[in-house]
Amino acid sequence: MSFESRLKAQALGLGFDLAGITTLGPAETHAAFTAWLAAGHHGEMDYLRRGAELRADTTRPEPGMVSAVVVALDYGGKQPDGPVARYARGADYHRVMWDRLDELLAWVRHERGSEVHGRAYVDTGPILERDLARRAGLGWFGKNTMLIHPALGSFFFLGALFLDCALEPDAPFADEHCGTCTRCLDACPTEAFVAPQVLDARRCISYLT
């Protein structure tokens, strides 16, 4: 097995449900993100505007990083719905995923040498995670703005381990499987989607609460 195959297998062995590899560089969705900010759809989430220039290129947040292992962790899409969101019913996902990504980094250092540098991101840095995940082959962008995997759907967290070593990237996810379906847009009780793949946070119940 190649090192990349073993690396992804190790990620799955640590409990992640998906793993892919991509090369860092300009974020393909940054123009759409900038337009989204300009329209005020971020509401009072000013931290998104403050880090906007860093999100333009994934080599900027942590100088020297070259590749990323992008992972997904299922949080229970088959659980019954209810007043508490599925993702909030367990332990803090940031801590869970950080710990596992730190273990993955330790494995990389064991295999490639202690001089390898890396940094784990779990929804906390100026990174457009969906962009990275699509480029790593993990899914496509649904009309509800979520990354959708053909088998897992969209009920998963995304995280990434940035590394300063070059890795063979996976093929990006090129297909789009939504077709003419608009069930996600029609189901939103506050009509927070002003257009397919455009969420106005100021109308979103999760944002408001």
Side-chain angles (χ1 to χ4, degrees):
M1 293 176 67
S2 67
F3 175 76
E4 288 81 1
S5 294
R6 292 190 294 118
L7 175 56
K8 289 182 287 185
Q10 184 70 17
L12 298 178
L14 288 170
F16 292 115
D17 296 284
L18 299 172
I21 296 172
T22 188
T23 301
L24 299 180
E28 298 172 2
T29 58
H30 186 257
F33 176 68
T34 301
W36 183 77
L37 289 174
H41 293 324
H42 63 300
E44 297 180 0
M45 294 183 287
D46 292 332
Y47 64 91
L48 293 174
R49 187 182 297 279
R50 289 196 301 271
E53 71 286 348
L54 294 176
R55 297 174 197 269
D57 190 313
T58 46
T59 62
R60 294 181 183 176
E62 185 71 16
M65 298 293 110
V66 176
S67 305
V69 184
V70 188
V71 296
L73 180 65
D74 190 314
Y75 60 77
K78 296 180 174 63
Q79 295 177 11
D81 59 8
V84 177
R86 293 177 179 91
Y87 82 87
R89 297 178 190 177
D92 181 1
Y93 69 93
H94 301 93
R95 186 74 272 156
V96 171
M97 296 185 74
W98 272 329
D99 289 345
R100 295 182 186 183
L101 288 172
D102 285 345
E103 287 187 59
L104 189 61
L105 176 57
W107 181 88
V108 172
R109 287 173 171 163
H110 179 267
E111 296 291 315
R112 298 287 288 263
S114 59
E115 69 278 4
V116 174
H117 295 285
R119 179 171 179 179
Y121 287 97
V122 183
D123 193 26
T124 50
I127 306 295
L128 296 177
E129 290 92 345
R130 293 182 317 148
D131 191 287
L132 276 179
R134 191 199 67 79
R135 288 169 55 184
L138 301 193
W140 79 94
F141 302 148
K143 293 177 182 176
N144 62 352
T145 77
M146 305 295 287
L147 188 86
I148 302 178
H149 181 268
L152 291 187
S154 63
F155 290 90
F156 51 77
F157 303 117
L158 292 174
L161 176 63
F162 283 23
L163 297 168
D164 66 350
C165 52
L167 299 174
E168 184 67 28
D170 289 305
F173 199 100
D175 298 329
E176 196 267 47
H177 295 285
C178 289
T180 59
C181 178
T182 60
R183 288 176 63 189
C184 62
L185 307 183
D186 299 337
C188 182
T190 58
E191 300 181 352
F193 297 102
V194 296
Q197 297 188 348
V198 181
L199 171 70
D200 187 343
R202 298 166 298 182
R203 301 184 187 183
C204 179
I205 292 173
S206 180
Y207 168 82
L208 295 172
T209 57

